[in-house]
Amino acid sequence: SPPLLTIPHRYNAAYDLIERNLRAGRSDKIAFVDDQGQYSYGELARRVSVFANALRASGVSAGQRILLCLHDSIDFPVAFLGAIQAGIIPVPVNTLLTSADYEYILRDCHARLAFVSAALLPQFHPLFDRVPSLRRVIVSGNESSHPLVMTQFMAGSSSLVEVADTTSDGICFWLYSSGSTGPPKGAVHVHSSLVQTAELYARPVLGIAESDVVFSAAKLFFAYGLGNALTFPLSVGATSILMAGRATPAAVVQRLTQYRVTVYCGVPTLYAAILASPDLPIPEQLCLRRCTSAGEPLPEDIGKRWKAAVGVDILDGIGSTEMLHIFLSNSPTDVRYGTTGKPVPGYALRLVGDLGQDVAPGEHGELHVAGPTSATMYWNNPDKTRATFLGAWTRSGDKYYVTEDGYYVYAGRSDDMLKVSGIYVSPAEVEAALISHHVVLEAAVVGRADRDDLIKPVAYVVVKSGFTASDELAEELKQHVKALLAPYKYPRWVEFVQELPKTATGKIQRFKLRAMNMES
């Protein structure tokens, strides 16, 4: 393992990420490009200080929270880093929630101000008088007719750099879990965690450098996207491309080619969609040298087809909101598709059986991880905190097994594992087999009780454009899985759907599929 970065006790994460670039003479280098323009490191530094001073002038005190419900544009890093520089805690949230979801989070974190993209303002209108802590909503986007927009909020504030007296182990920002298994929980992160993810993953795994141009399809509110598009580029002086809209295959490919992106960070669903799209680029159109995937396990078939089509391997890894970024990953010199690779140096992993014992190679166990980027707790949720944070170890909720030569293979969420005829079946394994069929775009597998009330796999399948769902196709898919896996693992039912329920970060919400089973 590499030695951990020595971070002084008196430390402010935002000041570090900005000041290191100014000291290196990058004031005129482009830090961010968004849909409206491009912004140098010097301009970023100025805006961050103006925002920090505007927050102080608005009456928000150190340690209080502000909510960020922002599409990816320059306003996100300005608000996120500006709050941190002022010692105020930013709470980014996903941009596809309902008013009820936002009310829940606002009440939970007691945010004093909310910064909201103009297109998302209708979701907040019902909340103006219903959340006692919320003083004002400030809108990102000058086109808005809202009484207070972000440019007005910042107008007149000084660009003088005034850095809060924060510490490396002091609370820096919160991220709410995506809600794939229930109500969102606020994971509390400290100042040192941001730069540690860059030192442990971005430098040694991505090999990120000042010359890189980075584009993350995963948005900034997502822990994966926050590292990809903000922390990692700023840690070395690279350029980050931001996109406010939905990451469609056409939109992603446009940015990969237009900006000569060198590092692309995606998710399995999007890789599959690009491969199935007429917009799939040829290698000569691209400058890619690294591609990463997280959020869901990457099916082996997708990784191999992407490498064949584009010429660059996908480095599949796993991180979490609680651990902030990837702690288990394939590496550029060691890619084994169908696995999540090996532990990222600097993190310790163990697989724990039902009785709390370490399991042997080949046996399924729950993945526990220890490392310097773990959240300290879930805000206002002591029961979940005690259940998840076990001393130095954090429970991931993911099941894995380790091969004899040390590669970790995903076996589903702890609550997704199926026991069929007394034997554990990994939904992820069945899904990967289904996706390898040329007709299947996406698949999700959960358990369903048969006539004898025994649990068997049921597959929900989205077919590719140009193909038609039918009973014959369902039978063909069953036989396809039987040919690839042990026969007891095949799905007893195949249900064709137009789309799979997902969180805003692209994770399949299997609990919704299980609820559909209960209703059928």
Side-chain angles (χ1 to χ4, degrees):
S1 296
L4 293 181
L5 181 69
T6 301
I7 300 176
H9 180 63
R10 296 290 172 189
Y11 177 81
N12 184 281
Y15 181 72
D16 176 17
L17 287 172
I18 293 170
E19 184 63 22
R20 63 173 60 191
N21 290 291
L22 302 185
R23 285 198 307 268
R26 301 189 188 110
S27 291
D28 295 329
K29 188 176 189 294
I30 300 303
F32 289 100
V33 179
D34 68 8
D35 297 340
Q36 307 303 318
Q38 58 186 30
Y39 314 87
S40 68
Y41 274 95
E43 176 64 12
L44 173 68
R46 187 190 70 80
R47 291 191 184 207
V48 165
S49 289
V50 170
F51 186 87
N53 291 326
L55 273 183
R56 292 189 183 98
S58 74
V60 183
S61 303
Q64 292 183 328
R65 275 75 63 192
I66 62 169
L67 188 92
L68 307 183
C69 188
L70 297 170
H71 288 141
D72 283 18
S73 75
I74 188 62
D75 283 352
F76 188 112
V78 165
F80 182 78
L81 296 170
I84 293 171
Q85 185 170 299
I88 291 161
I89 299 168
V91 183
V93 294
N94 84 51
T95 57
L96 296 175
L97 299 180
T98 65
S99 290
D101 294 324
Y102 293 130
E103 181 173 0
Y104 173 87
I105 293 172
L106 282 165
R107 288 182 178 276
D108 191 55
C109 74
H110 302 288
R112 309 307 295 269
L113 302 178
F115 293 83
V116 179
S117 289
L120 305 172
L121 193 58
Q123 301 293 350
F124 285 81
H125 279 140
L127 310 181
F128 288 171
D129 300 320
R130 284 171 42 185
V131 179
S133 65
L134 187 62
R135 292 179 179 175
R136 282 185 290 177
V137 173
I138 296 96
V139 174
S140 167
N142 294 327
E143 304 289 321
S144 174
S145 59
H146 188 69
L148 184 59
V149 298
M150 195 159 153
T151 50
Q152 294 170 332
F153 175 78
M154 296 168 64
S157 289
S158 168
S159 60
L160 181 69
V161 179
E162 185 178 340
V163 183
D165 185 20
T166 52
T167 61
S168 59
D169 58 357
I171 295 174
C172 183
F173 63 99
W174 302 359
L175 293 175
Y176 274 82
S177 64
S178 61
S180 57
T181 56
K185 302 177 290 293
V188 175
H189 284 284
V190 300
H191 278 263
S192 61
S193 291
L194 285 170
V195 70
Q196 289 286 19
T197 61
E199 291 297 321
L200 296 178
Y201 177 81
R203 287 181 185 271
V205 178
L206 296 182
I208 195 166
E210 180 181 358
S211 58
D212 276 315
V213 178
V214 182
F215 175 61
S216 176
K219 300 298 186 179
L220 283 163
F221 67 77
F222 185 21
Y224 177 49
L226 183 67
N228 301 337
L230 190 150
T231 308
F232 297 169
L234 265 57
S235 72
V236 295
T239 297
S240 178
I241 310 300
L242 303 179
M243 179 178 70
R246 194 165 65 90
T248 63
V252 170
V253 171
Q254 178 194 342
R255 282 157 180 81
L256 295 181
T257 55
Q258 177 182 350
Y259 296 108
R260 313 302 286 167
V261 169
T262 58
V263 178
Y264 169 57
C265 307
V267 294
T269 300
L270 190 50
Y271 280 111
I274 294 173
L275 284 167
S277 166
D279 298 300
L280 176 66
I282 58 175
E284 290 74 19
Q285 295 175 283
L286 301 168
C287 287
L288 289 175
R289 65 171 191 84
R290 291 280 184 273
C291 294
T292 70
S293 179
E296 290 269 270
L298 178 75
E300 180 177 359
D301 178 66
I302 291 174
K304 289 180 174 178
R305 287 197 290 124
W306 181 266
K307 174 62 182 294
V310 174
V312 181
D313 277 309
I314 301 173
L315 306 183
D316 187 29
I318 183 174
S320 67
T321 304
E322 292 77 10
M323 294 305 297
L324 192 54
H325 211 273
I326 290 172
F327 51 81
L328 170 64
S329 180
N330 285 266
S331 69
T333 58
D334 189 9
V335 175
R336 185 179 293 188
Y337 288 119
T339 81
T340 319
K342 295 182 177 180
V344 172
Y347 293 94
L349 273 62
R350 65 186 291 232
L351 296 181
V352 178
D354 293 339
L355 301 178
Q357 80 284 10
D358 289 347
V359 302
E363 294 182 3
H364 290 103
E366 184 181 59
L367 182 67
H368 292 194
V369 56
T373 62
S374 174
T376 61
M377 62 177 170
Y378 293 127
W379 173 257
N380 201 27
N381 200 331
D383 290 341
K384 289 289 187 182
T385 295
R386 283 190 292 268
T388 301
F389 301 102
L390 311 175
W393 296 96
T394 298
R395 296 178 61 184
S396 73
D398 296 292
K399 289 279 190 178
Y400 270 84
Y401 68 88
V402 181
T403 64
E404 291 289 347
D405 51 353
Y407 293 86
Y408 282 69
V409 180
Y410 183 73
R413 291 286 300 172
S414 296
D415 53 359
D416 289 336
M417 290 291 287
L418 309 177
K419 211 164 193 180
V420 178
S421 302
I423 306 172
Y424 276 116
V425 173
S426 162
E429 186 180 25
V430 183
E431 290 162 5
L434 286 163
I435 290 171
S436 70
H437 192 282
H438 70 281
V439 168
V440 177
L441 179 64
E442 293 183 291
V445 172
V446 296
R448 175 186 289 179
D450 65 10
R451 292 178 182 177
D452 297 318
D453 210 31
L454 298 173
I455 298 298
K456 299 292 190 293
V458 52
Y460 291 88
V461 172
V462 180
V463 299
K464 293 177 181 175
S465 177
F467 294 94
T468 303
S470 66
D471 292 342
E472 291 76 14
L473 178 57
E475 189 59 34
E476 182 179 334
L477 293 177
K478 293 177 185 179
Q479 296 305 318
H480 179 73
V481 175
K482 282 185 179 181
L484 294 176
L485 305 178
Y488 68 87
K489 297 182 179 182
Y490 86 97
R492 306 319 194 257
W493 308 270
V494 175
E495 306 279 0
F496 295 104
V497 293
Q498 293 297 313
E499 60 182 4
L500 298 174
K502 296 189 181 83
T503 68
T505 56
K507 293 183 180 180
I508 295 169
Q509 294 175 308
R510 289 178 176 81
F511 72 95
K512 289 189 176 180
L513 296 177
R514 287 192 286 267
M516 288 167 58
N517 277 335
M518 298 291 290
E519 295 166 2
S520 61

